[in-house]
Amino acid sequence: MRITVFACCPFRGSGKVTKYGKEKNGAQRFRCASCGRTFTGRENTVLFSSKVSPGHIRRMLSMLMEGTTIRQACHQSKVSLRTGVLYLRKFQALISPGSHHFMGWNGWADETYASAPMKEQKPGKGVSVLTGRRKKKAGLSRNLIPIFCGVDDEGRCFAEVGDGRGVPGVEECRKHYQGKFRPGSTVTHDSGNYGDIFAGCKEIETDSDSAEAHDLLNPINRFTNLIQRCFKVHLRIRRKNIQKWLNVGCFMYENHLETFDELWDWVSVRILFSGKTLRRKDI
């Protein structure tokens, strides 16, 4: 995780770079022959001005990507919770799923749900006379946030958090689904409030409880299970941070990254050579 060789000055983008002594902690310093400025191997990276060793940061991120809670990851990596959250946000800010206008010729669409934060939840009305507990309403709770998901047979995907709560209406589904699937493609989905969203596509609609639904909806069900696993492990995710976790999940799914080592090899260049410092105020 340390940069030891510079092809050019990180400030000028050109110029000869030579070694120029070391820091008190032993880190190598460099000097630009053109502008005379000195810098270390962490200049213009997310590790700039960090007092935490790179090994601790890598261990913390590896535990997070393998499903450990952030509190446990920080404890095992010997970093504070505040520092752990900071580097998690830096990591999420540098990861984004692939940009594509249309999904493939065979696609699947479905919604999954995440629990809203406690301060946003509304208690149900009505108390049972026999048990003294609140009566459970039929249908989907209004305390759940919808997440709109889609995959195709080429390995591409998307996951977007909704604006409302509970079962989404036609207009909200239209906002997140329309334009994602190319005209003439085949879209498989369960029964929902889709209306004419998939107009121009061949639709295969099935009941989720039917016998054939397992085979027809298997690709999208596998993807939504990955999304659900994240929210089962990392509890109390704020609404504004849900999309950041979804982007990481989509990135790993699209690039077929199942372990942290594969993920780290893929994005290490983006982290170290991104040219972004990403201070706390930036994220």
Side-chain angles (χ1 to χ4, degrees), residues 111-115 145 147 223-234:
E111 299 84 47
T112 186
Y113 298 87
S115 296
I145 300 175
I147 298 174
F223 179 68
T224 54
N225 286 339
L226 294 176
I227 299 298
Q228 280 296 325
R229 182 179 181 274
C230 173
F231 294 102
K232 295 298 182 181
V233 175
H234 304 285

Side-chain angles (χ1 to χ4, degrees), residues 162-213:
D163 300 326
R165 292 187 297 182
V167 179
V170 177
E171 292 302 321
E172 190 171 7
C173 291
R174 187 188 308 277
K175 174 183 176 182
H176 295 279
Y177 284 130
Q178 198 166 41
K180 294 289 197 308
F181 299 91
R182 67 179 74 229
S185 61
T186 302
V187 182
T188 305
H189 58 82
D190 60 358
S191 56
N193 299 325
Y194 298 120
D196 59 347
I197 296 176
F198 302 111
C201 301
K202 178 184 177 181
E203 295 185 58
I204 300 178
E205 183 175 346
T206 180
D207 186 2
S208 301
D209 299 328
S210 61
E212 66 275 5

